[in-house]
Amino acid sequence: MKPTRVLIAGAGIAGLTAAHELAERGYLVTVVEALAAPGGKSRSIPVEGSATTGQQDLPGEHGFRFFPGFYRHIPDTMARIPCMLADGSYGSVADNLAHTSRTLALSKKGRWEVPNQLRSSSRDAASLLSFLYDLFVGSGVDVPREDMLHYVRCVFTMLTSSDERRFGEFENISAWDYFQAPSRSEAYQKYVINAVTRTLVACRAADMSARSNVVVGMQLLSDIYRSCADRVLNGPTSEVWITPWVTHLQHLGVEFIQGVSVANVLWNEADNTARALQLSDGTELTADHFILALPLEALQAISNEDMLARAPSLAKLDELKTEWMNGILFYLGQDIELNHGHTIFLDAPWALTSLCQQRFWPRGLAQYGDGTVRGILSVCISDFDAPGDYIRKPAKDCTPAEIQEEVWQQILAHLAPADRAELEAAVVIACSIDPSLRWTAHGMQNDAPLFVNTAGSWAARPDVDIGISNLLVAGDFVRTGTDVATMESANESARKAVNRILAQTGSSAQPCQIFAIEEPQALTPLKVIDRLRFEAGLPHLLDLVPVFSGETIAWLGGMTSRVAEYSVKAGDIVRQLGWDQRLPEFESKAMRFINNLSRGVAPVSKWASTAPNSKSGTAEAQANASGVNTLINDVVGAINDKALADDLDKLRTRLISALDQTDKHFREYGTSHQRHLIDGVLADSLFQSGKRLRASCALLCSMLMRRFLSEEAVQVAIITESIHAATLLHDDIIDEADQRRGHPTAWKKYGVGAGVLAGNLLVSRAVRSLYRIGYNGLADDLFEVIESMIAAESDQLSGRRNLEACEQDYLRIIDGKTAGLFAWSCRAGATVGGCNAATVTATAQFGRHMGLAFQLIDDILDLAPDTNDTGKTRYTDLSTGLLTYPLLLARQRDPQGFDKLAASGFANAVEVSAWLVTNEALEDTRAEAARQIAMGVEALLPVRHSAAKAALIELARASTKRLR
């Protein structure tokens, strides 16, 4: 059988890995690389012209190589690359990995050290959390204790969150917002959130996905327990890794074509497969299969319209973001030992991290340059946009000499006097800046930017399989379990691409091994439980804990230890206790709670007194026998119905109090003084308390990131109800309605003029209140909402008895007439509640969908034959000739029946109702309302879960089931 030929574009880590795995399995492999040397961003870049006769050029790098303990794909590949070691013996490239001792973090106030490997056997989550706490609070960087406890709480929340919550919620918010940095101390922002994120990857905490930030950060900390958190190479990267690798691949038959880039993909039109790669020199290379193992920016460059039409999964590549993280090396005349590992400079505005490389090179440095170099201080710059402390310019605006001086001074400013004296005594013989940085007439350019995981970027990242059978992609930006853009993720993506080729070609070879990210097994039961809670729209367990303290950490430590001790499978726990059956039961009870929010129903905590079904028989006996009952009582008691019910009770109490304030305001407003006719109108209309849905939405949205209701939130609730009351006064006049909430309408009792004036006064006072509490932007937005309401009402008036109206016209009208105010209520509540911009936008979208659903249900209640006691005049839409959504649906299904009813002017309302039931128009309208609510709930996915969010969702769902 003819061997399968595979063409790989790119000789970075992804391309070399794919070539390695394929060649070992007998495939014919050709690798095309744009650079003159393989290795991509990981290759060594010798300092050209720095060597004297018989010497090697000084070794340069894009940045120092870092191999944390959670890397498993890269070391596995390294172990299969033979090479000669420093002592002259033969081994593998994996033998060239050197363990560091500690990571040193320096601030201008002090220093703290983290051991990179503990000699303890303890791996439980409690020890990890305790270590994390001691690490920061004992560091001397003045991070307040409550801030660090909050940080630990957020970390543990993520660790015990299900993948569904991580991707459905935490992926879509930034680490900055997830850790609530804006409301915390400056030290917390600087040393904990920004510094940790910047040194993890070249990314800002304000941009990076919270999911990626925490999950990968915890991997680094976990490495301290399970292996070594920090390994480096014992020589220049190309010398001890890339060159032996390429030599080995050539021995396996891999062909390399270097110095030419891929310009285009050529296609077989008949079956939409790739035919060849067209190179920059015009050459066309054919193969059976192709892997584009290119850097993100290179793949973006060749992804033309033709390619995107064939592979739509690449359409969002341009949404992916890159940042700069480049190295500068100081070649010193003396050996220094600043730290046996990496050093983080916490106060450095350019987010500097360094490594004394020569400490790990057994061959020494005598063979490089002119033989006088004795030390190499390798420094990575992770922030090119912040002004420096000395040159006072961002790195992007500096010359090479200015960068060298600024980096040197930022490092010296962090050192103790003895360390500073040692470094200053080590004369700088030469300096090398990553040649990927180029200075042009347009300023500094970077030929090797790094992909960074920004919030929500997972949705834009492609899988290796892009929908073209013989064309795959690989690289650090491809979706992998490793997640963050690293050499490890590039290697993993290549393995996944190779496995795809093995499957497509029917190979009998063993697939490449894919290693999953390891997390504490003791937390698995809590993650499974959280999946059930997330799917039910419930918050994470820790959102129910009002105070997170050292005692809470100790309790959590004991909890995880007990879970590990019992070693009960999480799925069995859930099934044995019946939680999977009881969650829907709880959800229905939550709906009833919300529905009766302002009616003073019995406390929600009474739900918890409902005992589980006692007829569990054998399952209950097994649960007792396995110790599950004890486990629940001691370990996960916080997740049963009572805990959430109690939390909802507290929320309910606060909401009812706030709604009572709203009603009290209206009662006092209407009865304090009745000097003229308008006061009488207000006294009647405002005293008639309605559902207060818009006010409830505003109040709940104000609590999405807080556990208290502010006076501003109550004011917004009053304002939104005032606007709503004004529209009702005007609507009753326009519709000539006789009743509202079981009472005569204002215009019937006081006259049209009084109703109009009273409505206008409510609007005026509502907007003035917004300006008074200082939210001018919300007032401006409210003006736009009011104008949209007026325009929509005008369109509705002009469209009455228009038998040509369609569903789209009607939805557009109710969007302006009803949904806009719901959206504003949610947005205003979230704004005064201190929510971030993404949350404010999400709540506005939610409110708009809820408003549409609310109006659709009103359409049903006006027309349904079994609707009783709605508190307002029935069939007003029919009597005024307005074709609402149910009528428009039924017209599509039975045009003749519609024409017959229309000919009589829809005079017989009962007959119209029966016709709507026959055509299932009322049922389908309710389904459309439910669909709108579902879209509203989906809009809330980026918002972190809380009791307020759960109540908001249930409020929306309950609104579609109302009968009045």
Side-chain angles (χ1 to χ4, degrees):
M1 178 181 294
K2 179 183 176 182
T4 302
R5 180 173 293 278
V6 182
L7 181 57
I8 300 172
I13 300 304
L16 294 177
T17 300
H20 191 156
E21 301 294 346
L22 288 166
E24 283 188 340
R25 290 162 175 80
Y27 289 78
L28 298 180
V29 181
T30 300
V31 179
V32 178
E33 170 55 46
L35 300 173
K41 298 181 180 104
S42 299
R43 75 193 189 282
S44 296
I45 311 172
V47 181
E48 189 174 349
S50 61
T52 57
T53 304
Q55 294 284 108
Q56 300 178 45
D57 283 332
L58 291 170
E61 306 274 351
H62 172 72
F64 46 69
R65 305 275 67 79
F66 168 48
F67 300 82
F70 75 88
Y71 279 19
R72 299 176 68 192
H73 298 93
I74 286 285
D76 176 76
T77 299
M78 286 179 157
R80 292 182 278 127
I81 304 172
C83 71
M84 180 178 289
L85 304 179
D87 61 4
S89 64
Y90 285 93
S92 71
V93 166
D95 296 319
N96 288 328
L97 287 175
H99 288 204
T100 64
S101 300
R102 63 187 182 272
T103 296
L104 175 65
L106 299 176
S107 77
K108 294 176 182 178
K109 297 181 180 180
R111 57 185 280 147
W112 47 270
E113 297 180 358
V114 183
N116 290 334
Q117 186 174 11
L118 296 183
R119 302 302 178 186
S120 169
S121 61
S122 174
R123 294 186 179 183
D124 60 88
S127 296
L128 176 62
L129 289 172
S130 177
F131 175 76
L132 181 66
Y133 176 75
D134 292 340
L135 174 68
F136 287 102
V137 176
S139 65
V141 293
D142 298 330
V143 178
R145 179 175 182 270
E146 59 271 21
D147 285 356
M148 278 316 308
L149 286 172
H150 173 72
Y151 181 77
V152 174
R153 175 186 189 145
C154 290
V155 168
F156 199 82
T157 297
M158 184 72 76
L159 286 177
T160 55
S161 292
S162 61
D163 286 342
E164 287 78 8
R165 191 183 298 278
R166 289 180 183 180
F167 283 93
E169 181 177 349
F170 301 139
E171 162 64 19
N172 299 307
I173 61 176
S174 70
W176 186 256
D177 289 333
Y178 174 73
F179 288 114
Q180 298 182 3
S183 63
R184 300 280 166 180
S185 66
E186 182 180 355
Y188 175 80
Q189 296 172 352
K190 183 175 184 178
Y191 296 122
V192 180
I193 307 305
N194 276 332
V196 170
T197 304
R198 266 306 194 185
T199 52
L200 177 64
V201 289
C203 189
R204 295 175 176 86
D207 298 327
M208 189 180 189
S209 156
R211 177 187 64 83
S212 298
N213 180 287
V214 178
V215 172
V216 176
M218 285 303 96
Q219 287 297 313
L220 292 174
L221 284 171
S222 298
D223 286 343
I224 297 171
Y225 292 86
R226 61 191 175 202
S227 56
C228 180
D230 186 0
R231 296 170 294 182
V232 297
L233 289 169
N234 65 0
T237 305
S238 290
E239 186 176 325
V240 300
W241 180 20
I242 303 300
T243 299
W245 198 1
V246 172
T247 300
H248 178 60
L249 294 181
Q250 290 172 329
H251 288 161
L252 291 176
V254 176
E255 177 187 5
F256 285 87
I257 301 175
Q258 297 175 180
V260 60
S261 60
V262 174
N264 197 11
V265 179
L266 306 179
W267 307 96
N268 292 312
E269 297 297 339
D271 58 0
N272 194 38
T273 57
R275 174 175 62 83
L277 296 184
Q278 186 178 53
L279 306 185
S280 54
D281 63 2
T283 305
E284 295 182 9
L285 297 180
T286 62
D288 301 304
H289 291 266
F290 303 85
I291 298 177
L292 299 178
L294 298 169
L296 173 60
E297 62 275 12
L299 183 58
Q300 290 170 330
I302 68 168
S303 296
N304 53 33
E305 291 184 5
D306 186 23
M307 186 169 173
L308 295 181
R310 300 171 189 271
S313 63
L314 299 180
K316 294 185 177 182
L317 281 180
D318 287 342
E319 297 179 15
L320 299 180
K321 186 177 180 180
T322 59
E323 288 283 356
W324 293 13
M325 187 176 187
N326 300 76
I328 176 172
L329 285 82
F330 295 93
Y331 302 94
L332 308 175
Q334 294 184 24
D335 182 7
I336 65 168
E337 185 176 0
L338 182 60
N339 178 42
H340 195 268
H342 288 92
T343 300
I344 303 169
F345 301 93
L346 293 174
D347 289 324
W350 288 2
L352 305 180
T353 312
S354 76
L355 177 71
C356 297
Q357 289 188 322
Q358 82 286 347
R359 305 304 304 172
F360 307 94
W361 291 9
R363 293 183 178 89
L365 301 172
Q367 68 270 36
Y368 301 107
D370 62 1
T372 61
V373 172
R374 294 293 180 267
I376 300 179
L377 181 64
S378 180
V379 184
C380 269
I381 304 171
S382 296
D383 192 335
F384 280 75
D385 297 312
D389 283 338
Y390 303 92
I391 305 297
R392 302 290 182 182
K393 293 192 295 185
K396 283 184 177 179
D397 297 336
C398 290
T399 65
E402 288 174 333
I403 289 179
Q404 176 180 343
E405 180 62 21
E406 178 69 32
V407 169
W408 188 257
Q409 292 299 330
Q410 287 185 28
I411 290 175
L412 289 177
H414 283 75
L415 300 182
D419 292 331
R420 182 184 180 113
E422 179 187 12
L423 184 59
E424 288 180 321
V427 179
V428 178
I429 295 175
C431 180
S432 168
I433 298 177
D434 178 6
S436 298
L437 298 176
R438 293 182 295 107
W439 279 260
T440 70
H442 304 288
M444 187 189 295
Q445 304 294 319
N446 192 338
D447 294 334
L450 300 178
F451 164 70
V452 292
N453 299 50
T454 53
S457 62
W458 183 265
R461 296 167 63 180
D463 287 310
V464 294
D465 188 345
I466 58 174
I468 298 171
S469 61
N470 69 336
L471 180 65
L472 303 162
V473 297
D476 57 11
F477 58 90
V478 173
R479 290 179 179 177
T480 63
T482 307
D483 190 35
V484 172
T486 57
M487 298 181 295
E488 177 77 350
S489 57
N491 186 294
E492 181 186 348
S493 72
R495 291 172 180 239
K496 292 174 68 176
V498 169
N499 284 348
R500 183 66 178 158
I501 291 176
L502 296 179
Q504 289 175 339
T505 57
S507 174
S508 60
Q510 186 75 17
C512 304
Q513 187 171 5
I514 304 296
F515 299 94
I517 288 287
E518 294 181 351
E519 296 191 28
Q521 290 298 309
L523 301 182
T524 300
L526 298 181
K527 292 168 68 176
V528 172
I529 291 165
D530 184 67
R531 176 177 60 80
L532 293 171
R533 293 179 63 83
F534 179 77
E535 290 174 351
L538 305 179
H540 189 279
L541 290 179
L542 286 183
D543 288 336
L544 308 181
V545 180
V547 178
F548 196 76
S549 63
E551 291 74 20
T552 310
I553 297 177
W555 176 79
L556 289 171
M559 179 182 71
T560 54
S561 297
R562 291 294 295 275
V563 176
E565 176 185 343
Y566 282 111
S567 300
V568 179
K569 291 183 179 179
D572 291 340
I573 295 176
V574 171
R575 286 189 293 274
Q576 289 169 357
L577 295 173
W579 289 337
D580 48 346
Q581 284 81 32
R582 296 198 69 201
L583 279 171
E585 170 198 344
F586 171 81
E587 187 174 345
S588 67
K589 291 176 178 177
M591 287 184 183
R592 291 202 298 274
F593 150 62
I594 294 295
N595 232 0
N596 296 309
L597 185 63
S598 59
R599 301 180 190 172
V601 296
V604 187
S605 58
K606 291 183 179 179
W607 300 347
S609 64
T610 304
N613 190 337
S614 61
K615 298 180 181 180
S616 55
T618 305
E620 184 177 7
Q622 291 175 347
N624 288 326
S626 63
V628 173
N629 282 351
T630 305
L631 173 68
I632 297 312
N633 291 334
D634 294 347
V635 180
V636 289
I639 63 87
N640 63 21
D641 289 356
K642 183 179 185 307
L644 184 56
D646 287 344
D647 197 58
L648 281 173
D649 249 353
K650 295 172 186 176
L651 176 62
R652 173 183 172 279
T653 301
R654 291 192 289 267
L655 283 173
I656 290 176
S657 175
L659 291 170
D660 282 347
Q661 288 184 57
T662 304
D663 282 344
K664 180 181 178 182
H665 168 86
F666 288 145
R667 286 194 295 271
E668 293 174 349
Y669 184 59
T671 59
S672 59
H673 55 281
Q674 294 191 23
R675 295 187 304 239
H676 45 67
L677 188 61
I678 296 177
D679 291 322
V681 178
L682 296 177
D684 271 10
S685 60
L686 295 180
F687 187 78
Q688 299 169 14
S689 179
K691 292 175 282 293
R692 303 293 192 224
L693 278 178
R694 297 157 189 81
S696 297
C697 285
L699 293 168
L700 286 168
C701 286
S702 76
M703 298 177 69
L704 289 172
M705 288 190 173
R706 292 178 176 175
R707 288 184 174 271
F708 63 90
L709 275 170
S710 64
E711 178 58 32
E712 290 86 355
V714 176
Q715 286 299 311
V716 165
I718 292 170
I719 289 165
T720 191
E721 282 300 317
S722 298
I723 298 295
H724 177 52
T727 64
L728 296 183
L729 286 168
H730 292 162
D731 283 351
D732 287 343
I733 295 170
I734 294 170
D735 296 338
E736 300 179 0
D738 296 328
Q739 280 194 330
R740 169 71 62 181
R741 295 168 183 160
H743 299 273
T745 53
W747 77 275
K748 290 289 288 186
K749 188 174 180 179
Y750 296 98
V752 172
V756 171
L757 292 174
N760 293 347
L761 183 60
L762 280 174
V763 172
S764 172
R765 290 184 175 178
V767 175
R768 187 174 63 183
S769 295
L770 274 175
Y771 284 116
R772 187 171 61 251
I773 64 176
Y775 286 91
N776 296 5
L778 285 177
D780 294 341
D781 290 344
L782 185 56
F783 276 126
E784 292 186 13
V785 171
I786 293 170
E787 289 178 6
S788 296
M789 293 169 75
I790 294 171
E793 190 67 53
S794 175
D795 288 345
Q796 183 168 291
L797 275 173
S798 63
R800 285 182 172 178
R801 308 198 186 283
N802 175 16
L803 301 183
E804 302 302 319
C806 64
E807 291 94 329
Q808 288 73 22
D809 293 333
Y810 186 66
L811 289 173
R812 175 178 51 79
I813 288 172
I814 67 173
D815 180 70
K817 180 182 174 182
T818 304
L821 184 56
F822 269 94
W824 183 87
S825 302
C826 293
R827 180 169 69 246
T831 299
V832 301
C835 295
N836 57 50
T839 299
V840 171
T841 300
T843 57
Q845 293 172 347
F846 166 83
R848 189 167 298 281
H849 287 296
M850 183 175 176
L852 291 171
F854 180 86
Q855 186 59 56
L856 289 169
I857 298 299
D858 258 9
D859 294 349
I860 296 173
L861 297 179
D862 187 60
L863 297 169
D866 56 351
T867 300
N868 296 312
D869 188 25
T870 63
K872 59 184 180 181
T873 306
R874 295 282 309 280
Y875 305 119
T876 54
D877 294 332
L878 276 181
S879 63
T880 57
L882 176 63
L883 298 187
T884 56
Y885 197 79
L887 285 167
L888 294 169
L889 278 183
R891 183 186 66 180
Q892 282 186 345
R893 297 165 183 180
D894 183 12
Q896 293 180 345
F898 176 85
D899 292 342
K900 178 181 176 182
L901 293 169
S904 65
F906 302 105
N908 190 333
V910 174
E911 183 181 359
V912 174
S913 293
W915 176 69
L916 292 172
V917 171
T918 301
N919 285 284
E920 300 181 346
L922 297 175
E923 180 182 342
D924 288 349
T925 299
R926 194 175 289 277
E928 173 60 23
R931 190 180 75 87
Q932 291 292 340
I933 293 298
M935 289 192 289
V937 172
E938 183 178 357
L940 288 180
L941 281 177
V943 180
R944 73 187 304 264
H945 276 289
S946 62
K949 177 180 173 181
L952 193 64
I953 291 172
E954 299 312 332
L955 176 63
R957 290 173 175 167
S959 72
T960 66
K961 296 175 173 58
R962 61 192 174 90
L963 300 176
R964 57 178 297 164

